[in-house]
Amino acid sequence: MHRGKGMKFVGDSRVVAPESRKPKLPKDYSEYPGKTEAFWPNFLLKEWMIGAVFLVGFLCLTVAHPAPLERIADPTDTGYIPLPDWYFLFLYQLLKYTYASGPYTVIGAMIIPGLAFGGLLLAPFLDNGPERRASKRPIATGAMLLALAATVFLTWQSVATHDWAAAERQGKIVEKVDIDKTAEGYQIAKDNTCLTCHGENLQGGAGAPTLIGTGLKPEEIAKIAKEGKGGKMPPGIFKGDDEQLKKLSEFISGLGAK
């Protein structure tokens, strides 16, 4: 048989036309009523509306409960009790334990968080099975529940054990007052080690309250100086005589008084 003889070429309706020949028409959503919609503008408009509602709600919350302001930070105040933002409270609480603080700070600050974040980064490679149900993925589910329980517990412990009353006192904004350090009352306070706890400018520190603008009368201050107050100021600290006590109490009572 010679080449080309006895052969017929016919068209094949099964051959799909190239993409370039197909008309580019928008999808017809009428086949799926109520199940899908166009991204622009229908879906995007809904997203914007929901975002606007949450934004307005958040702004109302900030107006109703403004962020608390404290006095200017004093790096020399070793009695200040720091408190990080809420999303770091679990790590803050972790650093309070013996095995993660002091000589073991590296373990609490670097090794334990490093293992946690390292496991999170390696999770897609360690658990790459086809199952999506939590019951079929015991390792990933167990690790997630363990991490969640530890975070919630440490955060709760941090909030429950924090001295909120002391934090409010130490962060209280006090009007700046010029202290006359040549006054006799100031020298008496210095001789009786009042400045050790209350600070050189009597602004408070080391867990002691400020002595500026106390609103107390001289008699009340004299009584506290002799008998003490609470567990942080025991009685008997003041060693001077009655005349010195009177001058000291009058000096402190006049600080910040209007």
Side-chain angles (χ1 to χ4, degrees), residues 32-49:
Y32 309 96
K35 295 183 179 180
T36 184
E37 59 182 338
F39 177 77
W40 172 266
N42 300 9
F43 180 78
L44 196 57
L45 181 60
K46 292 181 180 180
E47 291 287 310
W48 285 348
M49 292 177 64

Side-chain angles (χ1 to χ4, degrees), residues 83-110:
L83 187 68
D85 291 321
W86 64 270
Y87 41 83
F88 281 128
L89 285 178
F90 73 97
L91 187 57
Y92 172 70
Q93 179 66 22
L94 180 66
L95 294 176
K96 295 180 182 179
Y97 297 121
T98 305
Y99 59 84
S101 60
Y104 307 104
T105 302
V106 177
I107 298 178
M110 301 294 293

Side-chain angles (χ1 to χ4, degrees), residues 3 103 178 186 194 217 222 252:
R3 181 179 299 177
D178 294 330
Y186 183 86
C194 298
K217 297 179 180 179
I252 295 176

Side-chain angles (χ1 to χ4, degrees), residues 182-240:
T182 61
E184 188 175 1
Y186 183 86
Q187 296 301 323
I188 296 174
K190 184 178 181 180
D191 295 338
N192 286 272
T193 65
C194 298
L195 308 185
T196 304
C197 297
H198 295 280
E200 185 179 357
N201 295 317
L202 304 177
Q203 77 282 0
T210 178
L211 298 181
I212 300 174
T214 59
L216 300 176
K217 297 179 180 179
E219 297 79 13
E220 296 173 322
I221 296 176
K223 182 179 180 181
I224 295 175
K226 292 186 66 175
E227 300 178 3
K229 184 178 181 181
K232 294 184 178 180
M233 184 176 177
I237 293 181
F238 183 78
K239 305 298 183 181

